[in-house]
Amino acid sequence: MGRAAVKSIQIAVVSGLPLRSETFSTDNIIVGRAADVDLVLNHPEVSRRHCRLSREGDEWFIEDLESRRGTVVNGNRLSSRVTLRPGDQIRIGPVTVAFGVSSEERSAIWDAAPPVGAIRYQGESVDLIPLKANLVFGRGDEVDIDLNDPSVSRRHAKIELGPDGFRLFDLNSKTGAFVNGRRFVEHDLVIGDQIQLGSFCFLYDGKNCRRVPRVSVGRIVAVDLTKEGESGPILRQASFVAAPGQFIGILGPSGAGKTTLLNALSGLKPADGGKILIDQTDFYANLDRLRSLFGYVPQDDIVHADLTISQALTFAARLRLPAGTPRREIAKLVNQTISNLGLSDRANAKVDRLSGGQRKRVSVGVELLSRPPILFLDEPTSGLDPLAEFKVMELLRRLADNGCTVICTTHVMENVYLMDQVAIVSYGRVLFEGLPEEARAAFGVSRLTGLYGALQTREPQSLPNFQASLPPEIERSKPEVEPPPRPKKALSLPILLERQIAIFRADIKNPIMLLAQPMIIGVLVAFATNDAPLTQFYTYIATLWFGSSNSAQEIVRELPIYRRERLVGLSRWSYLASKFLWMGGLTTFQSLLLFVVIFVIHLGVHGAWQWQVLGLILLAFASTGIGLTISTFARSAIQAVMLVPLFLIPQIVFSGFSPPAYMMSPPILWVSQIMPSFASERVADVSFLIDQKITGDLITNYLTPYSNINNWYRSITKQRLLNGAIYTEKRPLWVAYLSLILWTLGGFAVSSWLLARKERA
C-alpha cells in the first residue's frame, strides 16, 4: 500500500528576525544559517545546521544538532528528541518560530507580538547613543541606557572611556553580550563593530552607538540572470545562492562568464534580466541604498604603490568614514585591519616593496575598513605564486568565519578545499553549486583540476543547469534589509590633497626632479640666448610641457583606485579639483622657478614682469587641464605619454612667435588665436611694449612683439602705432588671460566628462 500524501506544514518567524512564514511539504526540515538548509534563519547566533524537524507517520519531532546556543521548545531546552504539537513555539538561538500554525493563527501571533523594545537615554527614546562618558546598559532605573526587553539583564554591559578609546564589558549578563557575532567579556571597540545586547543591535561608528535592525546580512539569491554582450549572450539564465558567512568560489574556464556574474551579483554592472534578492529585498530596485553593504576588490590593485600600508589604509579610511571621526579611532581601525591581514610587521613598508600576495591583501584591507557584510573579489589570486595564493585564500576563509559573506572568481583549484561552496560556470550558465567534493561527483572527475577538461568534452546542452528559486515574498511591506542612514562623510578635497602630498614626498626623486627640470632648462636657455622675446617663448613652451607632461599619466594610472572610491561615495568634482590644484601648483612652482633662474643669470627681466608672471601662472593651470584631459582620454599610461607631443608640437607652430603672428593669414591665424601658446605670446608681446615709448630702438629690440601688436592694433583701429607715443593698450592682455582661463575651465569640464565615460565603461 502506497504512502499517504505528505501534508504541508507552516512555520512562522515571530521574533528575533523580520516576520515571515514558509510552508514545507517534506518529511525532513533542517533549520539553520547555512545556504543549503530548508529554513534559513540569517542570524550569526543561529548555527549553520541548528536543529532538525522530522515527520514520522502523523507526528512531528524536533532534535538539536549540537548547536552553539541550543534549541528551546515552549521554554524547555532540548536534550533529546521531543514531539512537536501545532502552535508550539521554538526558540532557535535568539529567533523564535511558531510551528504548525494556520494563516489566521499566524496573523494573530504577529498582531499580538509586543513592539520592539525601546531604548531610553536621559529620559528620552533614542536610536543614537552618543558616547561621551562611561555608560551602563541594562533594564531598570539604575542604568544609563535602559533597554526595555526581558532578554536584557538589569545590568547587562557597560562602556568605559580609556586612554585608547572605548572598551566594552559584559557584566555577567544572563543572555550574554556579543560583538561581531562572538561572545566576549572585555572588548576594545573598533569602528564598524556590531554589538548585540539581548535583542538589541548596535553599530559603533567611533563616536556613537547607532541602533540597527540586525547584526548580520548577506544571504543572496539570484535567479535567471541574463546579460547580453556585443557578440551574443554572456549570461544565460544563471542562478546563484549564498548564505551569510560563507566563502564561495565561482570557478570556470576563461570566457565562461565568471566576472560578468560577479559584476551582476555586486550590482557593479547589473544583469539585463533576472532578479537578485539580498535577504529577501530586491537588490536592483534598491541598488543605491544597498550598495553600501558590499565591498568589491577588482583584479587591479586599489592602493597607491608609493604609500606605506599604514598610510594607504589611513587615507582610505578617512575618505570612507563620517565627518568628525576621531583620528584615534581611525588609527585603531587601521591597526586592527593590518593585524587581520597578517601584515603588522610590514605596516610601515611601501606598497611597491611588497610581494604580489601582500599587495593583494592590502587591497582586500581597503575594503575591510568599512566592515562590509558582503565582499566580492575578482580573481584575487591571479598572478600569485602558490604560497602567496594560499595566504590570500586563507585570509578570505578567516573573513567568512567571522561572518562576512565572501564571493570570489578564480580558475585555480589547489585551495578550493578552503571554500564552503563552489559555483561552476561555463557557457554563461551556473552548472553546479554545492560542496567542492560534490562537484567532483557531479562531473565525474577524481580531482577538480580535471573539471575544465570534462567541460570541454561535453556539449553545452548536455551539461546540468543549477536552479534556484526565489524565497516566499515578505508578507510585510517593509524590506528585510534596512541599512542605517549613511552619515555625512568628511570633505574629501583636503584629504585628497594631503594624500597627493604624501605620495609626492614618498620618493626623494620627486622633489629632485621638480627642482632639477626648471633649473637645468633655465640655465640652458639663459646661456643659449640673451634675446628677450625668444627667452619668453622658451619659458612658456617649457611651462606647457611641465603642465601637460606632469598631468598626462596622473588619472589613467590610478583609474582602478578612482573607480573603487567612486563606489564608496567619492565626488568626481573633489577628485578632479585635487588633481588640478596639486598639479597646477607644481607646474606653477616649476614655471616661476624657471623664470627666476633666467632672471638671475640675465641680471634682470625685460618688459613688465608682473604681466609675464600672471600669464605663466594661468598657463600652468591651462596646461594642467590639457594634461588631465589627455589622461582621462588615454587608455594606458604609455598612450598618454605618446599623446603629449601631439599637443605640444602645434603649440610651437601656432604660437605666433615662429612664424610671427603678423605674418600669418587666415585660416592659419584663426587656428593660432585659439591656442594657449598664442595667448601666452600675446601676453609676452604686450609686456615688452606696455607703458613704453614707441621708438626705433624699441622696435629694433622687440621687432616680433612690436610687429605682432602693431598688426593687431591696425586691425582694430585702422591705424598703426605712432612713433613717440606711449603704448597703454591692455585689451590684448585681458583677451589672452581670458583665453587661458577658458582653457583651464574647459580642461576641467572635458576631463570630468571623459572620466564619467570611463566610469560607465
Side-chain angles (χ1 to χ4, degrees):
M1 185 173 178
R3 186 175 179 180
V6 176
K7 296 181 180 180
S8 61
I9 194 77
Q10 192 173 79
I11 301 177
V13 177
V14 297
S15 69
L17 283 175
L19 306 179
R20 78 176 197 268
S21 68
E22 296 191 25
T23 301
F24 299 92
S25 301
T26 61
D27 286 341
N28 196 57
I29 303 171
I30 302 296
V31 183
R33 185 164 51 91
D36 57 348
V37 302
D38 302 289
L39 177 59
V40 178
L41 300 179
N42 182 12
H43 196 290
E45 295 177 52
V46 174
S47 297
R48 293 182 183 276
R49 300 173 67 85
H50 199 105
C51 61
R52 177 189 290 114
L53 284 68
S54 57
R55 186 204 303 262
E56 295 181 5
D58 292 330
E59 288 192 304
W60 280 90
F61 297 87
I62 183 172
E63 59 182 315
D64 185 71
L65 298 178
E66 299 182 355
S67 64
R68 182 177 62 177
R69 297 292 304 279
T71 305
V72 177
V73 177
N74 299 328
N76 299 313
R77 188 182 181 96
L78 294 184
S79 58
S80 61
R81 192 171 78 148
V82 300
T83 304
L84 280 176
R85 299 283 183 267
D88 282 350
Q89 294 211 354
I90 308 168
R91 195 167 80 242
I92 303 166
V95 182
T96 301
V97 301
F99 170 78
V101 294
S102 65
S103 298
E104 293 78 11
E105 291 172 324
R106 178 203 64 204
S107 297
I109 293 173
W110 281 353
D111 293 338
V116 178
I119 300 175
R120 300 190 67 81
Y121 173 59
Q122 295 182 346
E124 297 183 0
S125 181
V126 298
D127 285 326
L128 184 69
I129 303 170
L131 302 179
K132 298 179 180 179
N134 297 343
L135 298 174
V136 175
F137 294 75
R139 178 168 53 90
D141 298 331
E142 300 178 356
V143 296
D144 303 295
I145 310 298
D146 183 13
L147 307 178
N148 183 23
D149 191 282
S151 63
V152 176
S153 300
R154 294 200 172 275
R155 289 176 58 85
H156 199 106
K158 68 175 179 178
I159 291 179
E160 291 185 355
L161 176 60
D164 297 325
F166 292 100
R167 190 171 180 82
L168 181 62
F169 299 85
D170 180 19
L171 300 178
N172 298 316
S173 59
K174 177 177 61 177
T175 56
F178 298 82
V179 172
N180 304 324
R182 296 174 178 247
R183 195 160 186 163
F184 71 95
V185 177
E186 298 181 12
H187 176 79
D188 287 318
L189 287 174
V190 179
I191 294 172
D193 276 346
Q194 297 175 346
I195 306 166
Q196 182 167 4
L197 307 175
S199 62
F200 295 87
C201 304
F202 302 93
L203 183 67
Y204 175 67
D205 65 8
K207 297 191 299 182
N208 311 291
C209 279
R210 182 187 301 274
R211 188 179 190 181
V212 293
R214 54 195 300 187
V215 298
S216 178
V217 297
R219 177 173 169 79
I220 302 173
V221 179
V223 176
D224 295 337
L225 299 182
T226 60
K227 184 74 173 180
E228 292 292 328
E230 294 180 358
S231 58
I234 306 175
L235 291 181
R236 300 176 173 89
Q237 307 296 318
S239 297
F240 182 87
V241 176
Q246 280 198 327
F247 180 17
I248 302 177
I250 300 177
L251 312 181
S254 298
K258 302 188 299 296
T259 298
T260 304
L261 176 60
L262 190 79
N263 290 340
L265 293 172
S266 66
L268 192 65
K269 295 181 181 179
D272 298 328
K275 193 168 188 177
I276 298 178
L277 298 185
I278 294 185
D279 295 328
Q280 295 191 328
T281 299
D282 190 321
F283 182 37
Y284 288 166
N286 300 274
L287 188 58
D288 290 339
R289 186 171 61 86
L290 299 183
R291 183 168 273 166
S292 62
L293 294 175
F294 75 81
Y296 185 90
V297 182
Q299 290 190 43
D300 300 309
D301 291 334
I302 53 174
V303 287
H304 289 90
D306 293 326
L307 299 178
T308 66
I309 297 176
S310 181
Q311 286 176 320
L313 294 185
T314 298
F315 283 118
R318 291 175 60 190
L319 287 171
R320 285 162 168 76
L321 295 176
T325 302
R327 291 292 183 94
R328 174 193 65 216
E329 296 296 329
I330 294 176
K332 284 173 60 179
L333 173 63
V334 168
N335 290 337
Q336 186 194 66
T337 302
I338 293 174
S339 175
N340 292 340
L341 296 173
L343 296 173
S344 296
D345 60 332
R346 304 283 284 162
N348 295 318
K350 286 186 180 181
V351 173
D352 63 358
R353 296 179 183 173
L354 303 177
S355 67
Q358 290 172 331
R359 286 199 304 272
K360 184 59 67 176
R361 279 187 273 167
V362 177
S363 292
V364 174
V366 169
E367 294 304 302
L368 297 182
L369 293 169
S370 54
R371 312 288 283 273
I374 308 170
L375 182 63
F376 296 98
L377 305 99
D378 189 13
E379 296 284 1
T381 60
S382 177
L384 302 184
D385 61 68
L387 179 59
E389 176 194 325
F390 173 75
K391 291 288 186 181
V392 171
M393 299 297 274
E394 187 181 46
L395 168 64
L396 301 181
R397 175 69 266 170
R398 291 200 307 269
L399 294 177
D401 291 337
N402 288 329
C404 181
T405 304
V406 179
I407 303 170
C408 76
T409 62
T410 183
H411 61 275
V412 181
M413 300 293 187
E414 284 75 8
N415 295 305
V416 167
Y417 69 92
L418 293 171
M419 299 175 178
D420 296 300
Q421 294 200 56
V422 293
I424 309 299
V425 180
S426 188
Y427 302 105
R429 294 185 293 140
V430 178
L431 308 180
F432 168 87
E433 187 175 350
L435 299 174
E437 53 267 26
E438 294 175 349
R440 296 198 299 269
F443 292 93
V445 295
S446 58
R447 300 180 62 186
L448 279 178
T449 51
L451 176 66
Y452 295 160
L455 292 176
Q456 291 176 351
T457 59
R458 297 170 64 176
E459 293 295 326
Q461 58 269 23
S462 69
L463 293 169
N465 192 29
F466 174 72
Q467 297 290 333
S469 58
L470 297 176
E473 296 295 331
I474 298 176
E475 301 187 39
R476 300 292 173 119
S477 59
K478 187 176 182 180
E480 183 175 343
V481 183
E482 191 67 37
R486 181 177 292 180
K488 182 179 179 181
K489 291 188 177 179
L491 184 63
S492 55
L493 181 56
I495 301 172
L496 292 170
L497 286 172
E498 190 176 337
R499 185 170 69 181
Q500 288 284 168
I501 295 172
I503 293 171
F504 179 77
R505 295 174 57 188
D507 190 342
I508 189 62
K509 294 178 183 177
N510 292 329
I512 291 175
M513 291 295 294
L514 178 75
L515 294 170
Q517 285 179 343
M519 294 180 71
I520 293 174
I521 294 173
V523 170
L524 293 175
V525 169
F527 279 100
T529 180
N530 287 321
D531 183 73
L534 182 57
T535 300
Q536 276 294 299
F537 170 75
Y538 286 143
T539 302
Y540 67 71
I541 290 297
T543 300
L544 282 164
W545 177 68
F546 291 150
S548 58
S549 61
N550 287 346
S551 308
Q553 301 181 63
E554 191 66 19
I555 293 177
V556 67
R557 66 184 176 188
E558 63 177 41
L559 195 58
I561 301 174
Y562 167 75
R563 280 175 169 155
R564 187 61 200 107
E565 290 179 343
R566 277 288 285 161
L567 287 177
V568 296
L570 177 66
S571 162
R572 187 187 310 122
W573 182 91
S574 295
Y575 178 78
L576 274 177
S578 70
K579 295 297 183 185
F580 261 87
L581 292 174
W582 175 248
M583 302 311 299
L586 290 184
T587 303
T588 298
F589 174 81
Q590 288 185 298
S591 176
L592 296 183
L593 180 58
L594 172 63
F595 187 86
V596 169
V597 169
I598 296 174
F599 173 90
V600 171
I601 295 176
H602 283 171
L603 302 177
V605 175
H606 294 271
W609 64 268
Q610 63 271 26
W611 301 109
Q612 296 170 3
V613 166
L614 180 57
L616 290 176
I617 293 173
L618 293 177
L619 181 62
F621 281 91
S623 59
T624 296
I626 294 166
L628 292 177
T629 300
I630 292 173
S631 192
T632 52
F633 175 79
R635 294 187 176 182
S636 66
I638 294 176
Q639 194 177 90
V641 172
M642 296 173 66
L643 286 171
V644 170
L646 294 179
F647 158 71
L648 285 177
I649 299 302
Q651 301 308 310
I652 298 173
V653 174
F654 297 106
S655 65
F657 180 81
S658 178
Y662 71 89
M663 297 179 62
M664 293 180 177
S665 58
I668 302 300
L669 180 61
W670 297 338
V671 173
S672 298
Q673 287 173 340
I674 65 174
M675 294 292 178
S677 59
F678 188 91
S680 298
E681 177 61 30
R682 187 52 52 89
V683 170
D685 291 344
V686 174
S687 73
F688 293 125
L689 304 182
I690 195 74
D691 298 328
Q692 300 293 317
K693 181 185 290 187
I694 305 299
T695 65
D697 289 341
L698 180 71
I699 296 172
T700 300
N701 293 332
Y702 306 109
L703 178 60
T704 296
Y706 168 80
S707 300
N708 286 343
I709 296 302
N710 185 48
N711 189 59
W712 169 84
Y713 188 80
R714 189 163 47 192
S715 68
I716 298 298
T717 66
K718 309 303 180 184
Q719 298 177 359
R720 60 184 298 275
L721 295 174
L722 299 176
N723 286 343
I726 303 296
Y727 180 80
T728 59
E729 181 59 69
K730 295 180 181 178
R731 275 184 293 176
L733 282 172
W734 306 131
V735 173
Y737 290 156
L738 177 61
S739 175
L740 294 175
I741 292 172
L742 290 177
W743 271 96
T744 302
L745 297 177
F748 190 95
V750 175
S751 297
S752 180
W753 177 68
L754 290 172
L755 198 54
R757 289 190 61 186
K758 284 189 180 293
E759 291 173 26
R760 292 192 295 269

